[in-house]
Amino acid sequence: MASAGSQSHQIARAIEWLKGNFTRPLQIDDLAAQVRMSRSTFHHHFRSMTALSPLQFQKQLRLHEARRLMLTEHQDAATTAFQVGYQSPSQFSREYSRLFGAPPLRDITSLRQLAARESA
């Protein structure tokens, strides 16, 4: 458990902020200042706790939420891309494919087929 004021606690606060604001543009300097750390110290401790940079963490939050929206809300990829904070559907598709191993439409179709087989 991270004690208040510790570096772990500060990073946990940054993670909570990212979870609540993942659609917004990420300003590392602002987030580091918010948790009272220098940029380099913030990066170091964030990576040691999450194994990701703050930007990579934000991307994963965005992409997992996008996957959820497309799967459960039946949204198309372009609409979802903008909703989770991407400025470009093509960038979204590239990053989605990199994380999930397939473009959005193919991945969601595959997940739906798998769910249908499992429920039958």
Side-chain angles (χ1 to χ4, degrees), residues 100-116:
F100 296 116
L105 181 59
R106 189 170 358 135
D107 180 55
I108 296 304
T109 300
S110 175
L111 289 172
R112 286 189 182 131
Q113 289 171 348
L114 180 62

Side-chain angles (χ1 to χ4, degrees), residues 22 52 56-72 80 84 86 92 95-96 99-100 107-108 111:
F22 64 86
L52 300 168
Q56 290 168 326
F57 189 86
Q58 180 195 45
K59 283 181 185 181
Q60 284 201 6
L61 288 172
R62 286 178 171 184
L63 293 168
H64 282 283
E65 175 63 5
R67 193 181 209 195
R68 186 195 70 76
L69 289 170
M70 289 185 294
L71 191 59
T72 63
T80 302
V84 299
Y86 279 87
F92 166 74
E95 291 181 2
Y96 188 100
L99 182 62
F100 296 116
D107 180 55
I108 296 304
L111 289 172

Side-chain angles (χ1 to χ4, degrees), residues 20-58:
N21 297 279
F22 64 86
T23 62
R24 296 174 52 186
L26 179 57
Q27 301 296 324
I28 299 296
D29 290 335
D30 293 344
L31 188 53
Q34 183 178 325
V35 297
R36 300 186 185 343
M37 294 179 135
S38 71
R39 180 185 181 101
S40 62
T41 300
F42 176 69
H43 261 283
H44 173 77
H45 289 287
F46 195 97
R47 188 176 288 278
S48 72
M49 280 188 66
T50 65
L52 300 168
S53 73
L55 184 59
Q56 290 168 326
F57 189 86
Q58 180 195 45

Side-chain angles (χ1 to χ4, degrees), residues 10-25:
Q10 290 166 289
I11 297 302
R13 283 183 30 228
I15 288 170
E16 285 306 308
W17 186 91
L18 284 166
K19 286 180 178 178
N21 297 279
F22 64 86
T23 62
R24 296 174 52 186

Side-chain angles (χ1 to χ4, degrees), residues 1-15:
M1 184 70 54
S3 62
S6 71
Q7 291 169 331
S8 295
H9 178 74
Q10 290 166 289
I11 297 302
R13 283 183 30 228
I15 288 170

